[in-house]
């Protein structure tokens, strides 16, 4: 396993601290943000795993040069992408990060 970027982990800590419905945890050994036990965001190597609508997954990957499929162990996970930004602060304002939080909150509220 490669080491996650510390600056991205700090952004996840900040997101969890500023959003009362978010909690910090781990996903496959990586720092992650959850909403009611549902994975919203996760540090992964040099990027951040974010949730996207499954029906728009390919469109998001094709239209964003900073995105690739999330495929741990070679298995593509539809509805999850890795967003890689050079400046960690940019994650705080990125629309895909906000969309991931929104989608996860909606999913978590359905229980």
């Amino acid at each position: 396993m490669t080491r996650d970027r510390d600056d991205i982990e700090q952004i996840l800590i900040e997101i969890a601290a500023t959003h009362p419905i978010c909690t910090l945890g781990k996903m496959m050994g990586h720092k992650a943000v959850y909403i009611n036990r549902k994975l919203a965001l996760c540090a992964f190597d040099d990027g951040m795993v974010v949730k996207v609508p499954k029906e728009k997954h390919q469109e998001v990957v094709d239209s964003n040069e900073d995105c690739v499929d999330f495929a741990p162990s070679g298995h593509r996970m539809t509805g999850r992408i890795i967003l890689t930004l050079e400046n960690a602060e940019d994650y705080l304002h990125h629309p895909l990060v906000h969309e991931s939080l929104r989608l996860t909150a909606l999913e978590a509220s359905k229980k």
Side-chain angles (χ1 to χ4, degrees):
M1 178 172 70
T2 60
R3 181 141 165 65
D4 295 331
R5 284 175 40 191
D6 290 337
D7 56 345
I8 294 174
E9 290 186 344
Q10 288 303 312
I11 293 299
L12 292 174
I13 292 168
E14 186 174 336
I15 288 170
T18 58
H19 292 82
I21 63 171
C22 294
T23 57
L24 281 175
K26 296 270 185 176
M27 193 275 299
M28 297 183 342
H30 302 272
K31 191 171 296 297
V33 171
Y34 288 85
I35 299 173
N36 291 347
R37 298 187 191 170
K38 301 277 185 193
L39 178 66
L41 305 165
C42 177
F44 197 84
D45 297 339
D46 65 342
M48 184 183 292
V49 175
V50 299
K51 183 180 190 73
V52 296
K54 287 184 179 183
E55 64 276 3
K56 293 188 176 186
H57 178 111
Q58 196 58 52
E59 177 185 332
V60 171
V61 171
D62 291 345
S63 63
N64 289 281
E65 62 184 33
D66 299 325
C67 298
V68 296
D69 290 325
F70 179 54
S73 303
H75 299 286
R76 179 179 172 215
M77 295 182 67
T78 303
R80 301 269 181 203
I81 56 139
I82 298 179
L83 175 64
T84 305
L85 303 174
E86 199 168 310
N87 181 2
E89 291 291 318
D90 292 342
Y91 287 101
L92 289 172
H93 308 290
H94 200 284
L96 289 174
V97 172
H98 290 278
E99 179 68 359
S100 182
L101 291 169
R102 186 188 73 77
L103 288 170
T104 306
L106 280 173
E107 184 180 301
S109 70
K110 292 181 181 176
K111 284 200 163 199

